[in-house]
């Protein structure tokens, strides 16, 4: 009798560890994870990129900061704790830990409810704000020494990589602008260069830049009108800079679209980043 009772207890214990009592339905065709994300000091209509490791499923938030991930491929033999990551370029990376058993949501959870909803709102902390008040309907090709200023507010200390143009003691400014034509969706990439008095071409270079918390800076981006060709249209002008995050999962980077998104490349504009671009009209 004791032996039979022991066997029954073992069977019940094993079932509780491997089944999915969250729904008590092993034939459920899909499960869902959902949550809400709030961005600190948001300046633009910015969406947060959401990626579930292991399953390699990704999405982005809607206008209300909400997201939903549907799990309907239970063929993957995945058990253990996996993270849902939340990413915006100029915010700190954050995550939520979710437990799985045999590819399904486990009943052993601390951060989601029985419906798969994350219990607490996710608040992402901002690294820096970048915005420009520049609006012009002038032909930039006709301007003398054209440039665009961006205001930078550091919400925390951080390291940034950006193109700098340095020529002696006379010029020390930023370089690297992306002109986005909102009419035909075309992009023009522009970096500054200049021939010095000795006839030598001076080009910009990538430099690491450290910013300190509470810094309020002006980043001036130079434009070489002799090497910039813009068709008529309405443009948004974005500055290039790369925030050096201490950790980004390679799977997250690949899900975003690869390393090109972090370089001076047309794909850079696909990188989720909360910034206010300059506005320019070319007649």
């Amino acid at each position: 009798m004791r032996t039979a009772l022991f066997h029954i207890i073992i069977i019940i214990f094993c079932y509780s560890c491997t089944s999915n009592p969250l729904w008590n339905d092993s034939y459920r065709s899909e499960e869902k994870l959902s949550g809400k994300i709030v961005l600190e000091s948001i300046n633009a209509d910015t969406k947060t990129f959401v990626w579930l490791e292991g399953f390699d499923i990704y999405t982005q938030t809607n206008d209300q900061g909400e997201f939903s991930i549907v799990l309907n491929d239970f063929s993957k033999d995945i058990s253990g704790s996996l993270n849902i990551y939340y990413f915006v370029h100029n915010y700190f990376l954050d995550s939520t830990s979710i437990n799985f058993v045999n590819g399904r949501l486990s009943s052993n959870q601390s951060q989601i409810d029985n419906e798969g909803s994350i219990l607490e709102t996710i608040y992402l902390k901002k690294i820096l704000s970048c915005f420009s008040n520049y609006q012009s309907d002038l032909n930039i090709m006709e301007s003398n020494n054209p440039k665009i200023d961006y205001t930078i507010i550091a919400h925390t200390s951080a390291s940034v990589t950006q193109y700098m143009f340095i020529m002696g003691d006379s010029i020390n400014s930023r370089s690297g602008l992306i002109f986005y034509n909102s009419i035909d969706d075309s992009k023009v990439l522009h970096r500054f260069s200049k021939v010095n008095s000795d006839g030598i071409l001076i080009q910009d270079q990538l430099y690491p830049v450290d910013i300190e918390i509470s810094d309020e800076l002006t980043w001036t981006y130079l434009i070489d009108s002799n090497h910039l060709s813009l068709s008529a249209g309405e443009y948004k002008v974005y500055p290039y800079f790369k925030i050096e995050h201490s950790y980004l999962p390679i799977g997250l980077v690949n899900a975003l679209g690869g390393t090109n998104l972090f370089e001076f490349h047309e794909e850079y504009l696909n990188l989720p980043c909360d910034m206010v671009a300059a506005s320019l009209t070319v007649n």
Side-chain angles (χ1 to χ4, degrees), residues 1 5 20 24 78 101 105 111 115 152 189 212 230 233 255 283:
M1 180 67 181
L5 180 61
N20 181 14
N24 290 319
I78 298 177
V101 174
L105 292 172
Q111 301 193 63
E115 299 299 323
I152 304 299
L189 279 64
E212 301 298 331
L230 298 175
N283 299 316

Side-chain angles (χ1 to χ4, degrees), residues 170-181:
S170 59
I171 303 177
N172 188 336
S173 295
R174 271 74 184 173
S175 173
L177 292 171
I178 302 177
F179 294 79
Y180 170 70
N181 189 320

Side-chain angles (χ1 to χ4, degrees), residues 251-269:
L252 169 65
V253 173
N254 291 335
L256 279 164
T259 56
N260 278 343
L261 270 71
F262 296 86
E263 308 303 329
F264 187 63
H265 189 277
E266 286 187 1
E267 297 299 319
Y268 180 76
L269 296 189

Side-chain angles (χ1 to χ4, degrees), residues 37 73 94 120 162 172-173 187 191-192 206 210 219 225 229 234 237 242 248 253 255 273:
I37 301 171
D73 180 6
D94 205 347
E120 297 184 358
Q162 56 189 178
N172 188 336
S173 295
K187 305 178 186 71
R191 287 167 53 189
F192 189 83
L206 278 173
D210 292 328
W219 286 354
S225 57
S229 177
E234 303 287 335
V237 188
K242 178 185 176 184
L248 287 180
V253 173
C273 187

Side-chain angles (χ1 to χ4, degrees), residues 7-19 101:
H7 287 161
I8 292 173
I9 293 173
I10 292 297
I11 291 171
I12 293 174
F13 175 78
C14 292
Y15 176 79
S16 67
C17 290
T18 60
S19 67
V101 174

Side-chain angles (χ1 to χ4, degrees), residues 138-158:
L138 299 175
N139 189 337
I140 200 167
M141 304 295 287
E142 298 176 354
S143 303
N144 292 323
N145 300 319
K147 60 185 180 180
I148 298 178
D149 290 336
Y150 294 86
T151 299
I152 304 299
I153 298 176
H155 300 271
T156 185
S157 299

Side-chain angles (χ1 to χ4, degrees), residues 3 21 29 41 65 75 89 102 113 149 164 169 185 232 242 270 283:
T3 301
S29 61
S41 303
S75 62
H89 183 217
N102 296 331
D113 63 18
D149 290 336
M164 301 285 294
D169 297 328
D185 288 334
K242 178 185 176 184
N270 294 329
N283 299 316

